[in-house]
């Protein structure tokens, strides 16, 4: 890593510079973004959110990735990125440990050749014309959910790739029916993963298969559908599909077509040693929204068996809590987040108003916070503070959106980019809003093409991932050291 660079002989250090910083990648120290005097005076008293240094780092990655830069598990002055190396058919998706001060990086490993291994990954089972439908990284970037589909045979498969493992883990394979768009999710702490948080793969029982991210196959078994055994101890055969036997299961009583409602978004959270599930549901009859939180009863967990997919009723050891979302208006689609442990749910009822719901005391009135301008994106910090990107400049009057723009919005993995298209966002300013109430503290000006934000409370850094030149495969990281 970069800390060892100072011990290199001059020639080796020069060689490292040549090999680690290619013309396509660069790092830059920017001058500190100034804050208004009144905003600086309102900084939280018990911690310092003054931006001391700003670094940038640019690189190439896959267009499909909704996140390619990570702070989780990184040391000081370090980020981890998923970056492409090589050209065209020989391209590899690498996991890099980058010292963003100087541009040095080490390659911890690669995942796959981005073109070659997409083609017929399961041999003859999927045939030709295989393409990658989705690509979802884990919170630290060391695992990838890869959704593959064969246009020719209408077959699909889901793989879990782990850094350092030569072969991906086949989670699901279907060789006939088109089931629709899967909603995958890693839990925020990276312990659990599901490729199907909406239960499409097990319709009509709507069982949600959940896997431990450290899952391995039975010793001596071979992948199903790749010339090996059926591997009954590892895989369930369900009609024309195969499902890796899950480590845990949850149920959702509202599937894509369940009770006439629409499942807008859903994802795992970490509850003690077990997974939980948040689901945001739109009621088609009333046009209302509600959030559902599913978890195991204390001290219980389901032992998954094949018979579960034949059960007609919800098991008694799953509990649900629900909360109607009040004041919903003015958003092209719901924008929401939840805390890693599932205690708190946040949602924008309109572009200027953020609601916070305590999911442990549902009878309480949600707290509401108003903002002086449209919110492009937000991130709730463990301290209760909020990082908020407020829109500063647009291509026109974004309060008067057109129907054609509205039709482009849907359930997207990258909400900031969808809102950018909807409102014609050109730039935003990043603010810190203290917990409870108070004026925002300006941290960074003229933020453009935002993909997402991450905050590391251990090192006091903020990561802003953006893209450049209207090309989502050309990424730029902005590191704010506090």
């Amino acid at each position: 890593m970069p800390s060892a660079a100072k011990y290199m002989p001059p020639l080796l250090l020069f060689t490292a510079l040549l090999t680690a910083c290619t013309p396509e990648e660069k790092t830059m120290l920017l001058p500190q973004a100034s804050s208004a005097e009144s905003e600086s005076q309102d900084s939280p008293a018990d911690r310092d959110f003054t931006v001391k240094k700003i670094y940038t780092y640019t690189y190439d990655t896959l267009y499909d990735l909704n996140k390619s830069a990570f702070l989780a598990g990184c040391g000081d002055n370090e980020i981890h990125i998923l970056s492409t190396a090589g050209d065209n058919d020989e391209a590899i998706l690498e996991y890099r440990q980058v010292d963003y001060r100087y541009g040095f990086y080490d390659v911890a490993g690669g995942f796959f050749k981005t073109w070659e291994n997409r083609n017929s990954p399961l041999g003859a089972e999927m045939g030709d014309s295989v393409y990658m439908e989705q690509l979802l990284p884990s919170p630290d970037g060391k695992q990838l959910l890869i959704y593959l589909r064969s246009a020719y045979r209408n077959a699909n498969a889901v793989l879990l790739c782990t850094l350092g493992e030569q072969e991906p883990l086949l989670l699901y394979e279907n060789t006939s029916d088109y089931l629709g768009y899967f909603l995958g999710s890693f839990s925020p702490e990276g312990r659990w993963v599901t490729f199907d948080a909406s239960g499409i793969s097990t319709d009509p029982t709507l069982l949600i298969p959940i896997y431990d991210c450290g899952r391995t196959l039975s010793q001596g078994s071979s992948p199903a559908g790749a010339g090996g055994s059926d591997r009954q101890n590892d895989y369930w055969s369900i009609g024309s599909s195969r499902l890796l036997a899950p480590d845990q299961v949850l149920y959702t009583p509202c599937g894509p077509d369940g009770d006439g409602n629409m499942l807008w978004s859903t994802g795992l959270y970490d509850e003690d040693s077990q997974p939980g599930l948040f689901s945001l549901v739109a009621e088609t009859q009333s046009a209302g929204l509600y959030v559902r939180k599913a978890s195991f009863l204390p001290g219980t967990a389901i032992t998954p068996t094949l018979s579960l997919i034949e059960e007609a009723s919800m098991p008694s050891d799953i509990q649900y809590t629900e909360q109607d979302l009040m004041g919903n208006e003015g958003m092209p689609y719901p924008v929401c987040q939840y805390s890693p442990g599932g205690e708190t749910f946040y949602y924008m009822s309109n572009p200027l108003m953020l609601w916070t719901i305590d999911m442990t005391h549902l009878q309480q009135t949600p707290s509401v916070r108003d903002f002086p301008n449209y919110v492009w994106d937000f991130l709730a910090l463990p301290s209760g503070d909020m990082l908020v990107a407020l829109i500063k400049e647009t291509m026109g009057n974004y309060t008067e959106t057109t129907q054609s723009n509205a039709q482009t919005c849907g359930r997207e993995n990258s909400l900031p980019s969808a809102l950018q298209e909807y409102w014609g966002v050109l730039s935003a300013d990043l603010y810190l809003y203290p917990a409870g109430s108070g004026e925002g503290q300006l941290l960074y000006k003229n933020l453009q093409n935002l993909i997402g934000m991450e905050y590391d409370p251990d090192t006091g850094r903020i990561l802003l991932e953006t893209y450049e030149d209207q090309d989502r495969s050309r990424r730029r990281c902005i590191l704010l050291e506090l």
Side-chain angles (χ1 to χ4, degrees):
M1 285 305 301
S3 59
K6 61 183 178 181
Y7 302 110
M8 292 183 182
L11 180 59
L12 289 179
L13 181 58
F14 179 72
T15 303
L17 279 168
L18 290 179
T19 56
C21 290
T22 68
E24 287 75 23
E25 293 128 12
K26 61 184 178 182
T27 186
M28 182 183 303
L29 175 62
L30 298 180
Q32 178 179 337
S34 60
S35 298
E37 182 178 355
S38 61
E39 293 166 337
S40 299
Q41 291 173 351
D42 292 332
S43 299
D46 58 341
R47 54 199 173 278
D48 184 8
F49 275 90
T50 302
V51 177
K52 297 179 174 65
K53 291 183 179 179
I54 302 175
Y55 293 90
T56 67
Y57 185 80
T58 58
Y59 56 96
D60 292 319
T61 190
L62 293 180
Y63 180 94
D64 313 78
L65 277 169
N66 67 329
K67 180 177 175 62
S68 65
F70 310 87
L71 280 178
C74 297
D76 292 342
N77 310 309
E78 180 184 75
I79 55 172
H80 297 164
I81 65 171
L82 293 172
S83 178
T84 51
D87 298 321
N88 300 325
D89 291 346
E90 298 301 319
I92 298 289
L93 187 66
E94 293 182 339
Y95 186 86
R96 296 179 178 178
Q97 300 166 312
V98 179
D99 184 328
Y100 52 78
R101 296 170 301 173
Y102 307 110
F104 298 145
Y105 66 81
D106 290 337
V107 178
F111 281 103
F112 54 88
K113 290 187 177 181
T114 58
W115 293 108
E116 179 179 328
N117 284 3
R118 292 186 197 180
N119 297 324
S120 303
L122 306 180
E125 290 296 321
M126 292 191 65
D128 298 327
S129 304
V130 174
Y131 64 95
M132 187 166 64
E133 189 175 46
Q134 298 180 63
L135 186 60
L136 180 66
S138 63
D140 62 1
K142 294 183 178 180
Q143 289 187 300
L144 290 171
L145 273 179
I146 301 177
Y147 296 77
L148 300 168
R149 186 171 296 280
S150 171
Y152 176 71
R153 295 193 59 187
N154 205 21
N156 64 323
V158 185
L159 309 177
L160 177 64
C161 295
T162 301
L163 189 68
E165 298 291 334
Q166 292 185 350
E167 295 295 330
L169 188 64
L170 174 65
L171 300 184
Y172 177 81
E173 176 186 23
N174 184 14
T175 58
S176 62
D177 298 329
Y178 177 78
L179 298 179
Y181 190 84
F182 287 126
L183 297 174
S185 175
F186 287 88
S187 66
E189 300 299 327
R191 167 70 190 278
W192 305 99
V193 64
T194 178
F195 70 91
D196 180 20
S198 55
I200 296 176
S201 62
T202 57
D203 183 69
T205 59
L206 302 179
L207 173 149
I208 298 171
I210 301 173
Y211 303 93
D212 191 307
C213 287
R215 171 71 176 269
T216 58
L217 297 176
S218 300
Q219 187 174 6
S221 61
S222 57
S229 67
D230 287 341
R231 200 163 57 195
Q232 296 297 325
N233 292 332
D234 283 313
Y235 282 87
W236 296 347
S237 295
I238 309 173
S240 61
S241 65
R242 294 176 184 268
L243 176 74
L244 180 64
D247 298 303
Q248 290 295 346
V249 294
L250 286 170
Y251 283 72
T252 174
C254 177
D257 301 315
D259 59 33
N261 295 332
M262 175 182 292
L263 185 64
W264 267 102
S265 64
T266 182
L268 298 178
Y269 69 92
D270 297 286
E271 186 172 52
D272 298 325
S273 61
Q274 297 293 343
L277 183 76
F278 265 112
S279 300
L280 181 63
V281 181
E283 297 177 297
T284 55
Q285 296 295 327
S286 64
L289 289 172
Y290 66 92
V291 59
R292 175 186 283 122
K293 179 182 175 182
S295 60
F296 297 100
L297 290 171
T300 65
I302 296 177
T303 301
T305 64
L306 181 59
S307 62
L308 282 173
I309 65 170
E310 301 171 353
E311 294 183 5
S313 61
M314 181 183 70
S316 59
D317 40 8
I318 299 293
Q319 62 181 354
Y320 289 90
T321 55
E322 294 181 354
Q323 174 75 36
D324 290 330
L325 303 186
M326 297 181 292
N328 180 54
E329 60 176 351
M331 293 297 290
Y333 55 87
V335 176
C336 61
Q337 296 177 14
Y338 53 85
S339 60
E343 306 89 355
T344 311
F345 184 80
Y346 312 89
Y347 78 101
M348 299 295 304
S349 62
N350 64 57
L352 300 168
M353 188 176 293
L354 176 67
W355 294 60
T356 301
I357 299 176
D358 183 351
M359 296 297 293
T360 63
H361 299 85
L362 294 182
Q363 300 306 315
Q364 294 184 359
T365 302
S367 63
V368 182
R369 170 166 248 161
D370 294 313
F371 295 98
N373 214 334
Y374 273 28
V375 175
W376 187 12
D377 195 17
F378 70 93
L379 177 63
L381 306 187
S383 60
D385 303 316
M386 286 275 180
L387 292 175
V388 182
L390 297 182
I391 296 176
K392 184 171 179 121
E393 185 181 8
T394 65
M395 289 184 288
N397 184 357
Y398 53 86
T399 62
E400 298 177 359
T401 55
T402 64
Q403 183 64 29
S404 60
N405 279 343
Q407 292 174 351
T408 66
C409 290
R411 288 171 288 179
E412 305 249 355
N413 287 328
S414 183
L415 294 177
S417 64
L419 283 175
Q420 175 174 327
E421 182 177 356
Y422 183 74
W423 283 323
V425 180
L426 296 178
S427 68
D429 292 340
L430 181 69
Y431 289 85
L432 173 82
Y433 279 84
S437 62
E439 296 296 322
Q441 175 188 353
L442 179 62
L443 300 181
Y444 187 82
K445 293 182 177 181
N446 197 31
L447 183 61
Q448 302 175 29
N449 299 324
L450 179 65
I451 290 178
M453 300 187 283
E454 186 178 350
Y455 173 68
D456 182 4
D458 296 328
T459 59
R461 294 177 297 171
I462 298 170
L463 167 65
L464 306 171
E465 184 175 350
T466 66
Y467 62 91
E468 295 188 326
D469 302 324
Q470 305 304 311
D471 182 2
R472 282 176 54 87
S473 63
R474 183 63 173 164
R475 301 291 172 92
R476 180 174 184 250
C477 292
I478 304 170
L479 281 303
L480 309 182
E481 291 190 351
L482 307 177

